[in-house]
Amino acid sequence: MHKFPLWVGVVLAALSVSAADAAEDDAFEFFREEAKVYTASRREESAWRAPVAVDVVTAEEIRAYGYASLADLLRFRAGLDVYDARSADGSRAIVSARGFTRDFVAEMQVLIDGRSVYSPFLGGVYWASLPVQMQDIERVEIVRGPNAALYGSNAALGVINIITRKPGRRPAGSLSASGGNRSAAASEAAEAGSPRGGLRVSHSYEEATGNPAPNGVGNANDFLHSNKLNLRASLSPDEATELEFLGGGSWQTLGVPGYAVDTRSSHAHDFLQLRAARDLDSAGSIEAVISRSEFRLSEDRFLSRPVDMRVYQYDAEALHRLEWAGGRASSVAGGSWRLSGIYSDQLFTGRPAQQNRVVRGFVHQSLHLTDRLTAAAGFSLEDSRVGGLQPAWQAAALFSPREDQTFRLSYARAPTMPPLFNKYGDFLLGATRFVGNEDLPPQHLSSWEAGWTCRALDGALKSDVTLYYLEIRDRIFSYVQSAGPPRVTAYDNRNRASARGVELSEEYAFSAGRAVFANYTFERIQDDKGPTDTFATDLRRGTPSHKLNVGGRALLARGFAGTVVLGYKDAYDANSSNRGTRRPVPRSFRLDSRVSWTPRPGWELFLAGMDLLQPYRVESADGTASPRRFEGGVSARFGL
Amino acid sequence: MRIPLLLTALCVAANAGVSSAPPVAVLSSESAHYRQALDGFTEAWGSTVPVILAGQLPPPQAWAFVAIGSKAAARRWPQDAVVVSCLAPSASAGDAAALTRVSLLPDPTILVARLRALAPSLRVLRVFWSSESSRSDTEALVAAGEDQGLVVLSERVDPPSLLPERLRGLDGPADGLWLMPDPALVNEQNFATVREYAAARRIPFFGPTEGLAERGAAATVSVTFREMGRAAALALRAKLNGRPGPETVRAARVTVTVNDPAARAAGLGPTFTGADKVLP
C-alpha cells in the first residue's frame, strides 16, 4: 500500500482547517463588508484593526458598570494610570497613559466629539469640569501611544476621544437619581426627532462631600457642587449631508483640600460647536467643524492669594476622507486653525494676555498592499507661536495572517508644545516667583510599538498584547534659577526620559450580558533628571510598575445583574507638581461592585460599592484619602 | 427642410445609441458575494456587461446601472439614470430618484409561511433590527405576520451594542427570534448573543442568510446572492422596457436551511416541513 508522505497529510489537514475557517467566516463576511460602509459613513473605524492600541468603552458598558465619572470609567483600563487626586486649582483626577503621571499630563490629548479640551494653561485636562455628562456618552475611544499625525501636538502619550450620543428619531428620555455616603446626583435627558433631524437636551447635578483627610477622618475641605447642561441638534437636509450644533456648559464650585485655610474654587466651562459633514459618493466625504470654548477659574486662595483666569479657544478644522484604488487605499487629509489664549493678571504678571495660534495640515494614508498586509502612514506639519514649525509623523504595518488576527508594528514621532505658563508665566507666590522660559522648545517623543490583536470563538474572546518603548527628548522640567529672595523657579528642557512597557488585555463575552475581562500593565520609566525637579516629582517612581485588573458582569435571574472589578496597583510615588509635594503610596487593591435590578424594561434600581476592601486609601499627594463609598439609586429610561 | 430632417435623424441615432448601451455593473468591491450576485445578474441578463468598482467612473454614455453593494449604491448617479441595487441594505433612493432596490429579505409572505411550516407552534416572533434602512422591510414582515396569524413584534436595537441589554429587558412571550439582514446588527458577537439567549429558552433562532445556519441558527430562510443578482437583472430590464414596478423587489426563490441539532434543541422537528437543506 502506497503511503502518502507525512508532509502531504499535514498540508491537507492545514488546507481543510483553512477551508472550514473560510466557510465559517463567509457567514459574516458580507455583513462585515457592508457594515464597513455603514460605519465609514459615521466616521468610525474597526478598532481591532487600528494601527495603534485602541480600547473602546461603549454606552452599554458604562450603564452595566455604573460609572459615575470619566475617572471611574478609565480607572480599570489597560495602560492607563488614574488617580483620585486634587490639584491646587481644583482638578479632581489624574489620568495618564504609559506613565509620566502628574497633575497635568501635557502629552495627552482629550477630545469631546472631536473638539480638544486640553488646557493650554498648564497642559492637561480638568476632568471633573469637562462639559460632558456620563448619560450622554455613546462611547469612549482610548488610543494609547502617539497619534499626533492625526490629532496634532500634545497627542504623544495617547488620545481619549469622548463621543456623545446623537439625538434619536423618536421621543425618548431618561431620569436618574442616586445618593450615597459621599455624594448625591440627579440627571435627566430628553430627545426627539424625525428622519430629518433631532434634538437632545440633558442636565445633571452632583453634590459631593468628597474625600476625608489622609487619616480617613474629618473633612479635608474637599467638596463639589456641579451643574452640567448640554444640547445637541442635528439636521439632515438630504441623505448625504448632516449639520450639527452642539452646545453646553459645566458650572462648579469646589473645595480645594490640603491647605490650612479652607479654599474655594469655581470653574465655568462652556462651548459652542458647529459641524457639517457630507458624503461625496465616490469622492469620499468632507467634514468641517468650528467651535469656541471658554474656561473660567476663580480661586479665593491659590495657595495663598486670589487668582482669576480665563482661558479661551477657537477652533476650525476641515478634512476630507477618501477611499480609492477599488477600496484598497484610504486617505484622510485636512487642515486646522486654532487660537487659544489666557488672561490672568496674577499668573502672567505684567503681560496678562497670552495667546497661541496654531495652523496645521495633515494627511494620513492607509494602503492594503495584499489581502493580509496593510501599510499606514501619516504626516502632520504644525506651526504655532509656542512651538514654531513642528512635524509629526507615524508609520505602521499591519499583518493579518487570518481574518481574526492582526499583528501590528508602528513607529511615531510627536511633539508636545510647552504649556503657556511654562513659556510666558510670571507668578509671585509667597517667597517664590515662577518665571516662564520664552526659549522653551517643544518636547519630542519617539515611540516604537508592536502589538497583536485577536478575536476568537465567534468574536466572543478578544485579546490584545502591546509592547512599547518610547523616549521623550527635551522633556520640560522646573529648576531653581536663583535662590533669591525671592526664590526664582524657571523651566528648562535639558532632559531625556524613556518608558517601556507591556499591556495585555483579555475580554470574553460568554453569553448575553455576561462577560469577564482581565488586563495587565507593566511600565518602567527612566528619567535622566531623577528626583531633582523643583516640584519633587520623580517620574521613575511616579507610576506603579505592575497593574492588574480583573472583572466581570453577569445577568442573573429575575432581572438582577451584577458587576465586580478588582484592581491591583504596585507601590509608587504620588507626585503633585502643582503642589510641589510627593507621597509614597504602598501597593493596594481596590474592589468595586454593583448590583442592579430591572423590574421592567427601562427601569433600574442599583446598589454600588467602591473601594470596598478598606475604609480609606491614599493614592495621591493632595492631602486627602479615597474613602470607601456606597451608592444607591434608581433610573428610568423611556424609548431609548 | 434639410436641417430639421438632419436633426431628427441625429436625434434618432443618438437615442438608438443610448438605448442600446449595455447596463454597467458597479461593484462595491471584488468580494466573492458581490461577484456571485454579478454572475446571477449576467445569467439573467443574457450577456456580459461592463463592470466597474465603486470608486471608478462609468463610461460617459452609460445611463443604466446595477449597483451591487451599499458602497456602489451610494455613489452619485448621472441625471435620469436608471439604477437597480442589490446586496445593498443601506441603499436608499437618495439622489437617484429612479433607484429600485432588491431586498435582502425574502418575500415576507413566503418567509412567514415557510417559518410556520417549519415551526407550527410559532405564535410570537421577535424581530431584531437596527438601521433606519431596515424599517420598511421590518414593517412588511410585521404586516405579513398579521395576515397569516403570526404576531411579529418589532424590536429595534439602536445602537446595536444595546442588544444584550435589549434581550435582558425582553418581556412578554417569544416563540422564536429573527435577526433582520441588517449589517449594523449582524456580526459574530450579536449572533452569539442571540443564539445563546434562544438556546437558554429552548426557542428557535432564525436567520436571513444560509451561512448563519452553519453557525448554529436553528434555521434560515434566505435568498442566495446569485438569486438577488437575477432579480436585479429582471427588475432592470422591466424598467428599461417602461415598466418601473415597485421601489423594492424581492427574489422569487427562497431557500430554507435547517441546522438539525440546533433545531431539535429548540423543539423543532423531527421532520422539517419545507426544508430545502438539513445540515447534520
Side-chain angles (χ1 to χ4, degrees):
Chain A
M1 185 178 161
H2 181 73
K3 288 184 178 177
F4 283 107
L6 182 61
W7 66 269
V8 173
V10 171
V11 169
L12 286 175
L15 286 174
S16 65
V17 168
S18 303
D21 288 345
E24 288 197 344
D25 286 344
D26 282 347
F28 296 104
E29 190 186 338
F30 165 68
F31 292 106
R32 201 177 294 133
E33 181 149 3
E34 285 292 317
K36 274 186 202 165
V37 178
Y38 177 84
T39 53
S41 68
R42 292 188 174 184
R43 286 121 184 109
E44 293 170 7
E45 288 292 335
S46 177
W48 78 282
R49 279 196 164 176
V52 290
V54 178
D55 190 6
V56 179
V57 187
T58 63
E60 185 214 343
E61 270 182 83
I62 294 171
R63 274 195 290 275
Y65 285 96
Y67 299 128
S69 69
L70 282 164
D72 283 345
L73 181 153
L74 299 168
R75 187 180 309 279
F76 298 110
R77 316 306 298 192
L80 294 189
D81 294 296
V82 179
Y83 305 137
D84 188 17
R86 312 285 188 257
S87 76
D89 51 357
S91 176
R92 294 173 67 83
I94 289 175
V95 177
S96 180
R98 298 183 172 174
F100 302 98
T101 314
R102 57 211 193 275
D103 296 301
F104 291 96
V105 184
E107 301 88 355
M108 192 146 100
Q109 183 62 272
V110 179
L111 309 164
I112 301 177
D113 294 315
R115 178 175 48 83
S116 169
V117 289
Y118 170 87
S119 168
F121 165 50
L122 276 173
V125 170
Y126 292 85
W127 286 95
S129 306
L130 293 178
V132 66
Q133 301 170 50
M134 295 306 291
Q135 61 173 341
D136 289 337
I137 295 176
E138 182 68 42
R139 67 179 191 281
V140 177
E141 296 172 352
I142 304 157
V143 180
R144 304 191 300 273
N147 222 337
L150 269 178
Y151 293 101
S153 56
N154 307 97
L157 288 177
V159 177
I160 294 179
N161 195 6
I162 301 160
I163 296 156
T164 64
R165 178 185 168 83
K166 292 185 176 183
R169 292 182 175 178
R170 55 183 178 175
S174 63
L175 287 167
S176 76
S178 62
N181 62 336
R182 288 281 159 186
S183 65
S187 67
E188 60 275 0
E191 65 182 46
S194 72
R196 289 265 167 181
L199 177 69
R200 178 178 169 87
V201 183
S202 56
H203 168 258
S204 61
Y205 176 74
E206 184 187 355
E207 190 167 313
T209 52
N211 292 352
N215 59 6
V217 295
N219 188 332
N221 187 41
D222 179 44
F223 64 86
L224 169 73
H225 304 294
S226 169
N227 263 299
K228 293 185 180 184
L229 178 68
N230 288 81
L231 183 147
R232 183 166 188 165
S234 64
L235 175 69
S236 298
D238 58 57
E239 287 281 323
T241 309
E242 186 179 44
L243 304 172
E244 280 198 294
F245 169 80
L246 298 90
S250 158
W251 298 270
Q252 300 178 312
T253 309
L254 319 98
V256 182
Y259 302 116
V261 182
D262 285 355
T263 300
R264 176 183 292 250
S265 184
S266 68
H267 294 182
H269 191 160
D270 56 69
F271 76 100
L272 296 171
Q273 182 174 348
L274 288 168
R275 173 180 168 271
R278 181 166 175 80
D279 292 330
L280 302 173
D281 52 60
S282 58
S285 64
I286 53 170
E287 185 174 331
V289 181
I290 56 172
S291 64
R292 172 204 172 277
S293 63
E294 185 169 316
F295 176 69
R296 292 176 300 280
L297 181 149
S298 178
E299 193 158 312
D300 54 6
R301 290 178 201 88
F302 185 86
L303 303 181
S304 66
R305 56 184 284 204
V307 163
D308 293 294
M309 173 177 80
R310 172 177 168 256
V311 180
Y312 56 90
Q313 183 162 303
Y314 295 86
D315 277 288
E317 182 174 74
L319 57 88
H320 181 202
R321 291 184 173 89
L322 176 66
E323 279 200 6
W324 47 286
R328 299 189 79 83
S330 60
S331 308
V332 181
S336 66
W337 170 88
R338 172 175 298 163
L339 174 67
S340 55
I342 184 166
Y343 189 95
S344 173
D345 285 319
Q346 301 89 3
L347 298 166
F348 296 86
T349 308
R351 297 181 301 174
Q354 295 296 335
Q355 275 192 345
N356 184 31
R357 280 188 186 81
V358 184
V359 180
R360 190 170 77 92
F362 60 93
V363 61
H364 193 274
Q365 180 67 54
S366 172
L367 187 63
H368 296 288
L369 300 171
T370 69
D371 286 345
R372 296 179 174 184
L373 187 63
T374 301
F379 178 74
S380 160
L381 196 59
E382 178 174 308
D383 186 39
S384 67
R385 180 189 172 215
V386 298
L389 197 63
Q390 292 294 329
W393 58 279
Q394 63 187 111
L398 287 89
F399 175 62
S400 302
R402 291 166 49 114
E403 179 65 23
D404 53 6
Q405 289 187 28
T406 300
F407 293 91
R408 61 180 190 275
L409 197 61
S410 67
Y411 173 74
R413 279 179 63 91
T416 297
M417 299 302 154
L420 286 170
F421 185 76
N422 294 168
K423 194 100 176 175
Y424 308 111
D426 191 341
F427 180 41
L428 185 62
L429 184 66
T432 303
R433 183 179 167 209
F434 298 88
V435 182
N437 176 358
E438 291 196 23
D439 297 324
L440 206 59
Q443 298 182 156
H444 291 97
L445 180 143
S446 304
S447 167
W448 290 261
E449 183 174 319
W452 171 73
T453 305
C454 172
R455 298 184 313 175
L457 306 174
D458 292 344
L461 179 65
K462 296 174 188 168
S463 305
D464 189 279
V465 180
T466 302
L467 293 91
Y468 69 87
Y469 172 80
L470 62 87
E471 188 176 292
I472 300 179
R473 285 187 296 110
D474 311 321
R475 196 183 71 77
I476 297 167
F477 62 95
S478 63
Y479 70 102
V480 177
Q481 193 178 55
S482 98
R487 190 172 83 148
V488 176
T489 292
Y491 299 91
D492 203 347
N493 69 319
R494 289 165 298 176
N495 187 20
R496 190 187 71 89
S498 64
R500 67 196 72 201
V502 178
E503 296 156 353
L504 307 174
S505 174
E506 295 285 336
E507 189 181 334
Y508 179 57
F510 47 90
S511 66
R514 296 186 177 93
V516 291
F517 75 88
N519 61 62
Y520 166 76
T521 306
F522 167 77
E523 284 170 345
R524 178 148 295 169
I525 311 288
Q526 293 295 324
D527 183 15
D528 285 354
K529 213 63 187 165
T532 57
D533 189 303
T534 312
F535 292 136
T537 52
D538 184 355
L539 290 176
R540 295 173 306 178
R541 287 187 45 80
T543 185
S545 294
H546 303 275
K547 292 190 289 280
L548 177 67
N549 301 302
V550 293
R553 59 192 166 113
L555 290 177
L556 310 169
R558 298 177 187 277
F560 283 92
T563 66
V564 61
V565 185
L566 179 67
Y568 167 78
K569 277 180 189 170
D570 226 351
Y572 62 99
D573 278 1
N575 293 312
S576 177
S577 56
N578 190 263
R579 293 172 180 273
T581 52
R582 191 169 77 199
R583 175 190 288 270
V585 176
R587 66 182 182 177
S588 65
F589 287 90
R590 173 176 168 136
L591 178 69
D592 289 9
S593 186
R594 184 178 192 267
V595 178
S596 65
W597 179 50
T598 303
R600 50 177 299 177
W603 287 82
E604 186 187 69
L605 286 88
F606 75 90
L607 279 173
M610 278 71 74
D611 241 329
L612 291 168
L613 294 178
Q614 56 268 311
Y616 63 90
R617 185 166 56 86
V618 176
E619 65 174 26
S620 69
D622 60 12
T624 73
S626 298
R628 182 187 286 153
R629 287 187 290 146
F630 296 101
E631 275 177 16
V634 58
S635 69
R637 302 166 69 229
F638 311 95
L640 285 167
Chain B
M1 186 65 190
R2 279 183 185 174
I3 292 173
L5 269 177
L6 184 62
L7 282 175
T8 308
L10 281 172
C11 287
V12 169
N15 191 38
V18 168
S19 59
S20 65
V24 175
V26 186
L27 268 60
S28 279
S29 75
E30 293 276 12
S31 297
H33 31 268
Y34 301 130
R35 280 281 168 194
Q36 286 168 22
L38 178 65
D39 290 346
F41 179 87
T42 310
E43 193 177 286
W45 187 259
S47 62
T48 57
V49 296
V51 179
I52 61 171
L53 292 173
Q56 297 171 334
L57 289 174
Q61 75 278 16
W63 69 297
F65 299 89
V66 57
I68 303 177
S70 292
K71 190 174 166 187
R75 67 178 298 144
R76 189 184 299 282
W77 302 103
Q79 200 172 8
D80 300 327
V82 177
V83 188
V84 173
S85 75
C86 66
L87 273 69
S90 308
S92 61
D95 295 334
L99 180 79
T100 297
R101 190 172 70 99
V102 178
S103 174
L104 280 173
L105 190 74
D107 184 322
T109 306
I110 299 173
L111 171 58
V112 171
R114 302 296 287 269
L115 288 178
R116 297 209 68 176
L118 199 62
S121 61
L122 185 65
R123 296 282 179 274
V124 179
L125 181 71
R126 300 278 185 158
V127 176
F128 296 92
W129 59 290
S130 180
S131 309
E132 192 58 32
S133 51
S134 295
R135 181 185 291 278
S136 59
D137 275 347
T138 309
E139 288 170 353
L141 188 54
V142 172
E146 274 177 19
D147 293 344
Q148 298 180 54
L150 175 67
V151 177
V152 178
L153 297 177
S154 159
E155 301 284 349
R156 186 175 191 183
V157 186
D158 186 22
S161 59
L162 288 182
L163 182 64
E165 188 175 325
R166 196 59 181 264
L167 285 168
R168 184 177 67 175
L170 212 60
D171 56 354
D175 304 323
L177 308 176
W178 172 269
L179 207 54
M180 289 296 283
D182 185 335
L185 197 60
V186 181
N187 55 43
E188 292 97 323
Q189 183 66 61
N190 283 347
F191 177 81
T193 298
V194 180
R195 187 185 59 194
E196 295 297 326
Y197 180 89
R201 285 153 186 79
R202 293 181 55 81
I203 57 175
F205 167 32
F206 303 109
T209 59
E210 193 176 327
L212 299 183
E214 294 169 18
R215 299 292 287 260
T220 58
V221 183
S222 62
V223 178
T224 64
F225 296 143
R226 180 179 282 266
E227 279 299 319
M228 282 185 242
R230 289 176 61 84
L234 298 176
L236 185 59
R237 193 178 289 286
K239 290 181 77 169
L240 293 176
N241 288 335
R243 291 181 280 113
E247 198 175 283
T248 300
V249 297
R250 300 179 195 281
R253 191 171 167 196
V254 171
T255 305
V256 176
T257 307
V258 175
N259 179 320
D260 187 87
R264 286 174 190 274
L268 303 183
T271 57
F272 304 112
T273 309
D276 298 295
K277 289 182 194 172
V278 177
L279 306 175

